[in-house]
Amino acid sequence: MTRLRFARRIAVLIRFSLMVFLGALPALAQVRKTCPGGLTMKLTTGIVSQGSLILAEVRSTKGLPAVASEWDGRAEPLWKEGTALHGLLGIDLEKKPGQYEWKITWPAAEDKELSCSVVVTVHAGKFPTEHLKVENQYVQPDPEQQKRAEEDSKKLRAIYDTVTPERLWDGKFQWPLKDVTTGGNFGRRRVLNGEARSPHAGVDFPAAAGTPVFASQSGKVVLAEELYYSGNTVVIDHGYGIYTLYCHFSKIRVAAGDEVEAGAEIGEVGATGRVTGPHLHWGLTIQHARVNGMQIVTRQP
Ligand SMILES: [Zn+2]
């Protein structure tokens, strides 16, 4: 074997070991903390990148007290599953890298309160920058279009501010298209017609116009109308601050107020709003955090 070939083999071996090591990282990063009063806090990981999801769990050896939870200083709902409490921590795709706290508190004897916390480290996501060409009215809207867009975002903000204190979902989250499990573009930093715009907060699934789109999960339709940037849009509330968003439909098949089952047809793929062609834009929001929806299908709450 020549020296060069030997060096190449060593390089391949090092790369392979590194891949195995990195693959094992999420398991290594799992967090488990023993708290006073027999409580345990658990997170699927304590090290994440922007746009990720973490599953949180609280267990007790003596029956669960009334536990309140806070993620980065904001109330974070927990729901009961079997003998444990579960929660979903969403890391917004623009959350500043750093260390954040997940904290629980619960009443103890003599009017006292006990608390326990764990730290989560957030790293910057590696999102490519993409340059796109779209119709100019979507980059430089006129005052009337600007007003419409602002009203739309106000409406969406009011929706995401509402936390339905009830679990409306049932079973696993599903892909919004039949037989399509690969989507992309999540988190991409965007330059439209040469101007920097907010990052891409959802996952794009390429599909032909007219392809049926299905609810990823059961819940209540809270918005079903045309919005300026996202075209014909549907938002479904799944409870506890978890929402899915579907954009650019050619046809909407549901109305606000409808209760839908997971897998129900809610519309058809189209190219309405700010698009470069027909596709489904699918978003997942958890307590205001815009996260990668692919993770909720592959890692279940
Ligand atoms: Zn999109």
Side-chain angles (χ1 to χ4, degrees):
M1 196 187 302
T2 65
R3 195 173 285 178
L4 188 66
R5 277 185 65 191
F6 180 71
R8 262 191 212 144
R9 277 205 187 168
I10 291 291
V12 166
L13 199 69
I14 290 173
R15 209 175 303 153
F16 179 72
S17 327
L18 201 66
M19 270 161 61
V20 170
F21 173 72
L22 288 175
L25 257 188
L28 288 176
Q30 205 181 69
V31 175
R32 198 192 183 94
K33 182 159 178 188
T34 306
C35 304
L39 264 69
T40 310
M41 296 173 85
K42 217 168 100 182
L43 291 177
T44 43
T45 178
I47 307 169
V48 277
S49 59
Q50 295 167 316
S52 298
L53 276 180
I54 307 176
L55 311 189
E57 198 185 286
V58 179
R59 285 186 182 275
S60 171
T61 50
K62 312 174 185 161
L64 282 163
V67 175
S69 143
E70 247 177 50
W71 163 238
D72 186 21
R74 284 178 80 147
E76 179 70 34
L78 298 174
W79 56 88
K80 201 151 184 212
E81 249 174 66
T83 56
L85 291 172
H86 284 237
L88 259 184
L89 311 184
I91 319 296
D92 187 78
L93 85 161
E94 289 189 287
K95 194 162 190 71
K96 209 170 155 238
Q99 295 203 309
Y100 298 91
E101 191 184 53
W102 175 46
K103 183 179 167 190
I104 58 168
T105 48
W106 64 97
E110 294 160 21
D111 284 341
K112 274 191 197 141
E113 202 177 60
L114 288 174
S115 72
C116 193
S117 64
V118 294
V119 167
V120 174
T121 303
V122 175
H123 290 295
K126 289 193 177 68
F127 303 119
T129 298
E130 129 183 284
H131 295 257
L132 291 177
K133 193 115 193 85
V134 296
E135 277 177 64
N136 204 46
Q137 62 164 9
Y138 292 117
V139 181
Q140 279 156 337
D142 65 32
E144 200 178 308
Q145 292 163 333
Q146 178 77 34
K147 204 175 146 227
R148 256 196 79 193
E150 276 162 19
E151 275 162 19
D152 291 348
S153 26
K154 219 187 280 171
K155 207 177 281 177
L156 288 172
R157 216 172 308 131
I159 286 173
Y160 295 140
D161 278 342
T162 310
V163 176
T164 305
E166 186 185 351
R167 179 179 162 150
L168 304 177
W169 76 87
D170 184 24
K172 295 184 160 194
F173 275 75
Q174 306 172 8
W175 300 109
L177 295 173
K178 200 167 176 261
D179 301 327
V180 180
T181 57
T182 46
N185 294 346
F186 179 79
R188 286 194 174 201
R189 279 30 184 169
R190 290 200 144 165
V191 181
L192 304 179
N193 302 358
E195 290 186 29
R197 284 295 180 270
S198 49
H200 188 255
V203 177
D204 287 335
F205 293 98
T211 306
V213 178
F214 307 100
S216 300
Q217 184 51 272
S218 54
K220 189 177 170 190
V221 176
V222 284
L223 182 135
E225 62 183 75
E226 197 192 348
L227 302 182
Y228 185 66
Y229 286 114
S230 54
N232 289 323
T233 304
V234 171
V235 178
I236 303 177
D237 178 5
H238 305 293
Y240 288 117
I242 304 173
Y243 292 89
T244 49
L245 163 91
Y246 311 76
C247 307
H248 314 305
F249 283 176
S250 56
K251 282 198 189 92
I252 295 177
R253 298 269 185 226
V254 285
D258 285 359
E259 280 171 21
V260 290
E261 297 285 322
E265 190 180 333
I266 55 170
E268 290 176 16
V269 170
T272 52
R274 187 177 72 190
V275 292
T276 52
H279 71 281
L280 171 68
H281 174 104
W282 181 57
L284 172 67
T285 298
I286 293 174
Q287 309 290 329
H288 290 267
R290 300 158 299 164
V291 296
N292 189 344
M294 310 289 277
Q295 294 186 1
I296 208 167
V297 179
T298 51
R299 308 173 202 171
Q300 294 297 321

